[in-house]
Short mmCIF file of all heavy atoms in Angstrom, two decimals:
data_model
loop_
_atom_site.label_atom_id
_atom_site.label_comp_id
_atom_site.label_asym_id
_atom_site.label_seq_id
_atom_site.Cartn_x
_atom_site.Cartn_y
_atom_site.Cartn_z
N THR A 341 -3.13 25.16 -3.53
CA THR A 341 -1.71 25.00 -3.33
C THR A 341 -1.39 23.63 -2.76
O THR A 341 -0.29 23.39 -2.33
CB THR A 341 -1.15 26.09 -2.42
OG1 THR A 341 -1.83 26.00 -1.13
CG2 THR A 341 -1.43 27.47 -3.02
N VAL A 342 -2.36 22.73 -2.68
CA VAL A 342 -2.11 21.42 -2.10
C VAL A 342 -2.12 20.41 -3.27
O VAL A 342 -3.10 20.31 -4.00
CB VAL A 342 -3.15 21.05 -1.09
CG1 VAL A 342 -3.01 19.62 -0.64
CG2 VAL A 342 -3.12 21.95 0.14
N ARG A 343 -1.04 19.69 -3.42
CA ARG A 343 -0.96 18.75 -4.53
C ARG A 343 -1.46 17.37 -4.19
O ARG A 343 -1.88 16.62 -5.05
CB ARG A 343 0.48 18.65 -5.04
CG ARG A 343 0.62 17.78 -6.27
CD ARG A 343 2.04 17.84 -6.86
NE ARG A 343 2.09 16.94 -8.02
CZ ARG A 343 2.41 15.65 -7.89
NH1 ARG A 343 2.64 15.14 -6.74
NH2 ARG A 343 2.44 14.86 -8.95
N VAL A 344 -1.46 16.98 -2.87
CA VAL A 344 -1.80 15.69 -2.48
C VAL A 344 -2.98 15.78 -1.47
O VAL A 344 -2.92 16.51 -0.50
CB VAL A 344 -0.59 14.94 -1.76
CG1 VAL A 344 -1.06 13.56 -1.30
CG2 VAL A 344 0.56 14.84 -2.68
N THR A 345 -4.03 14.98 -1.78
CA THR A 345 -5.17 14.96 -0.81
C THR A 345 -5.42 13.49 -0.47
O THR A 345 -5.58 12.65 -1.37
CB THR A 345 -6.42 15.55 -1.50
OG1 THR A 345 -6.15 16.93 -1.82
CG2 THR A 345 -7.56 15.54 -0.48
N VAL A 346 -5.55 13.25 0.83
CA VAL A 346 -5.77 11.89 1.35
C VAL A 346 -7.06 11.89 2.07
O VAL A 346 -7.32 12.73 3.00
CB VAL A 346 -4.64 11.37 2.28
CG1 VAL A 346 -4.94 10.03 2.76
CG2 VAL A 346 -3.32 11.45 1.59
N PHE A 347 -7.99 11.00 1.77
CA PHE A 347 -9.23 10.79 2.51
C PHE A 347 -9.16 9.45 3.27
O PHE A 347 -9.20 8.34 2.65
CB PHE A 347 -10.46 10.76 1.56
CG PHE A 347 -10.76 12.05 0.92
CD1 PHE A 347 -10.32 12.34 -0.33
CD2 PHE A 347 -11.45 13.03 1.62
CE1 PHE A 347 -10.60 13.55 -0.97
CE2 PHE A 347 -11.73 14.27 0.98
CZ PHE A 347 -11.32 14.52 -0.27
N ASP A 348 -8.96 9.55 4.54
CA ASP A 348 -9.06 8.34 5.42
C ASP A 348 -10.53 8.15 5.83
O ASP A 348 -11.30 9.08 5.80
CB ASP A 348 -8.15 8.52 6.65
CG ASP A 348 -7.81 7.17 7.32
OD1 ASP A 348 -8.42 6.13 6.92
OD2 ASP A 348 -6.95 7.20 8.21
N GLU A 349 -10.85 6.91 6.22
CA GLU A 349 -12.26 6.63 6.45
C GLU A 349 -13.16 7.06 5.31
O GLU A 349 -14.21 7.68 5.46
CB GLU A 349 -12.76 7.27 7.81
CG GLU A 349 -11.99 6.79 9.01
CD GLU A 349 -12.11 5.31 9.28
OE1 GLU A 349 -13.27 4.78 9.19
OE2 GLU A 349 -11.15 4.64 9.65
N ALA A 350 -12.70 6.76 4.14
CA ALA A 350 -13.28 7.30 2.84
C ALA A 350 -14.70 6.72 2.61
O ALA A 350 -15.44 7.27 1.86
CB ALA A 350 -12.38 6.97 1.70
N HIS A 351 -15.06 5.57 3.28
CA HIS A 351 -16.36 5.00 3.06
C HIS A 351 -17.49 5.97 3.42
O HIS A 351 -18.60 5.72 2.99
CB HIS A 351 -16.48 3.68 3.84
CG HIS A 351 -16.46 3.85 5.32
ND1 HIS A 351 -15.29 4.01 6.03
CD2 HIS A 351 -17.45 3.95 6.21
CE1 HIS A 351 -15.54 4.16 7.31
NE2 HIS A 351 -16.84 4.13 7.48
N GLN A 352 -17.23 7.00 4.18
CA GLN A 352 -18.29 7.92 4.61
C GLN A 352 -18.48 9.12 3.61
O GLN A 352 -19.35 9.90 3.80
CB GLN A 352 -17.98 8.48 6.00
CG GLN A 352 -18.05 7.41 7.14
CD GLN A 352 -18.04 8.03 8.49
OE1 GLN A 352 -18.48 9.19 8.68
NE2 GLN A 352 -17.63 7.31 9.48
N LEU A 353 -17.59 9.19 2.65
CA LEU A 353 -17.57 10.36 1.79
C LEU A 353 -18.86 10.62 1.11
O LEU A 353 -19.40 11.75 1.09
CB LEU A 353 -16.50 10.24 0.73
CG LEU A 353 -15.05 10.59 1.10
CD1 LEU A 353 -14.08 10.33 -0.02
CD2 LEU A 353 -14.97 12.08 1.48
N ASN A 354 -19.50 9.57 0.51
CA ASN A 354 -20.71 9.82 -0.27
C ASN A 354 -21.87 10.33 0.58
O ASN A 354 -22.53 11.26 0.24
CB ASN A 354 -21.16 8.52 -0.96
CG ASN A 354 -22.29 8.74 -1.91
OD1 ASN A 354 -22.30 9.66 -2.68
ND2 ASN A 354 -23.28 7.87 -1.88
N GLU A 355 -22.06 9.69 1.78
CA GLU A 355 -23.20 10.04 2.62
C GLU A 355 -22.97 11.49 3.18
O GLU A 355 -23.90 12.29 3.33
CB GLU A 355 -23.40 9.09 3.74
CG GLU A 355 -23.85 7.73 3.26
CD GLU A 355 -25.06 7.83 2.29
OE1 GLU A 355 -26.05 8.52 2.66
OE2 GLU A 355 -25.04 7.23 1.22
#
Side-chain angles (χ1 to χ4, degrees):
T341 61
V342 175
R343 185 173 176 273
V344 179
T345 302
V346 180
F347 292 99
D348 199 349
E349 299 298 317
H351 64 279
Q352 294 193 25
L353 277 176
N354 188 46
E355 294 309 311

